[in-house]
Amino acid sequence: MNELGLRAYVAVRSRAATLVKDESGEGVISAAIAVLIMAALGALMWVGFKALWGDASNRTSEQVNNIGR
């Protein structure tokens, strides 16, 4: 293969590689996935907090009522 043919081959392969490996939206997609995961974790934590708070409230009310008897 002569030098001109080699340069042409390298140029074509380099151009094809840059066209195929377009990762321009990867950061946005990754950020969106991270936001969705954090939102799901926050929702689960809120449900757990509400259950814990309700249980503590019920027990406190029971203890206060027992003291008055």
Side-chain angles (χ1 to χ4, degrees), residues 10-57:
V10 171
V12 169
R13 295 295 291 179
S14 297
R15 187 69 171 146
T18 58
L19 292 176
V20 172
K21 295 181 182 179
D22 184 20
E23 298 179 1
S24 59
E26 289 293 324
V28 175
I29 294 169
S30 297
I33 291 170
V35 167
L36 289 174
I37 290 170
M38 293 303 293
L41 287 174
L44 288 173
M45 289 174 64
W46 178 252
V47 168
F49 173 75
K50 291 293 282 184
L52 181 71
W53 187 259
D55 185 46
S57 176

